[in-house]
Amino acid sequence: MRASDAEREAVVERLREASVEGRLTLSELTERTEAAYLAATHAELAQITADLPGGAAQGSAPRPFQAPSSPRPGVARRWYVAVMGDTKRRGKWRVDQEIGAVAVMGDVTIDLREAEVRSNEVDIIATAVMGNVKIIVPDGVDVDLTGVAIMGDKRVDVVEAPPSRHVPVVRVRAYVVMGDVKIIGDSRAKPIQRAWTAWSEWWLERRGEIHAGHREHLRLMSERRGELHRAHYESRREQREALRETLRETREDMRRSRRAARREGPYPPPPPAPPYR
């Protein structure tokens, strides 16, 4: 049976609740939300929540959609500060409060892809003074960037979801003085351990729409990424070897010069005197 818009919204609401309960990371929430909006039948919607408690069943009545909640008021903001250094927060972690990032002649990196987000909005204040703040989010979220940049740059490089969809929102207030605040998507950042095509490939296989040509395309893309990484590492290795060879030759030249100086003595012999006339 074909799925309705209300049933899709009900599945999206269930996914948001699962994220609040800590069952889904922000990346998984974003991917499954996109799959819910692309689902055409009840069976496809049921597959999206099949591994969640109370998953959607075919023919079940959807619950009414509720507006997403905001972070709890009064909870202290969690700060990440870098002064002439680096601060990174990545991997699996819990976001249940607002976030602050300050970079003073340093770098702060906040990776939200594997974070467990306990609300549908993530609020971040980013301050960069002659430093850089980089925020990595899954492609498909909405990014709301505001603030001021003085002799600096603030920008968003994320593949956002189409309008009118209830997707997670990342709100960033940036204050930049001779620095940078960047919000980049998953496709612009170093991939996490789980391949970025894992959910898409799983979804297409369930729908029966993946074919040999698409599999070959995914395989070629994976091989191409591997070749680029190998070429990059090989270039870096050759540069390091060339630098070591240059240093070795420089040390050898210095040793030969010192040996020659010891053989000739501390002072060079005086030049011969001109003949007396």
Side-chain angles (χ1 to χ4, degrees), residues 11-217:
V11 172
V12 171
E13 175 66 9
R14 179 67 195 101
L15 294 173
R16 190 192 65 80
E17 292 175 357
S19 175
V20 172
E21 296 165 356
R23 304 180 190 276
L24 298 175
T25 65
L26 182 61
S27 181
E28 292 169 339
L29 173 62
T30 305
E31 292 169 347
R32 296 196 187 198
T33 298
E34 181 182 2
Y37 282 113
L38 294 176
T41 64
H42 285 181
E44 293 174 357
L45 288 177
Q47 292 171 5
I48 297 172
T49 56
D51 57 347
L52 300 176
Q58 185 170 357
S60 60
R63 290 174 294 180
F65 178 78
Q66 299 176 357
S69 60
S70 299
R72 292 176 294 169
V75 179
R77 187 181 296 271
R78 180 183 297 179
W79 289 93
Y80 298 94
V81 181
V83 180
M84 301 181 67
D86 296 335
T87 298
K88 298 180 180 180
R89 189 63 179 94
R90 56 182 47 159
K92 292 188 177 296
W93 57 299
R94 181 179 299 176
V95 179
D96 53 5
Q97 59 195 98
E98 297 177 347
I99 299 173
V102 179
V104 181
M105 300 179 66
D107 298 295
V108 175
T109 301
I110 298 176
D111 192 341
L112 296 172
R113 291 175 292 178
E114 295 183 278
E116 296 179 359
V117 179
R118 296 308 174 95
S119 67
N120 203 46
E121 293 185 3
V122 180
D123 185 274
I124 302 175
I125 291 180
T127 303
V129 180
M130 300 178 66
N132 301 290
V133 176
K134 181 167 66 174
I135 303 169
I136 306 174
V137 301
D139 286 318
V141 302
D142 280 341
V143 178
D144 181 16
L145 176 60
T146 59
V148 180
I150 301 175
M151 298 180 66
D153 188 21
K154 58 182 181 71
R155 64 180 182 272
V156 178
D157 192 3
V158 178
V159 181
E160 299 189 27
S164 73
R165 289 187 178 181
H166 298 285
V167 298
V169 180
V170 178
R171 303 188 187 278
V172 181
R173 285 174 287 170
Y175 304 96
V176 184
V177 179
M178 300 178 65
D180 293 290
V181 172
K182 298 182 291 185
I183 300 95
I184 63 175
D186 192 39
S187 58
R188 302 290 189 271
K190 181 180 178 181
I192 54 181
Q193 277 191 336
R194 176 184 54 81
W196 68 273
T197 57
W199 173 263
S200 301
E201 187 171 356
W202 179 90
W203 177 246
L204 291 174
E205 284 179 349
R206 293 305 186 277
R207 296 190 65 172
E209 293 181 359
I210 190 167
H211 49 81
H214 186 71
R215 287 197 185 93
E216 182 67 15
H217 176 67

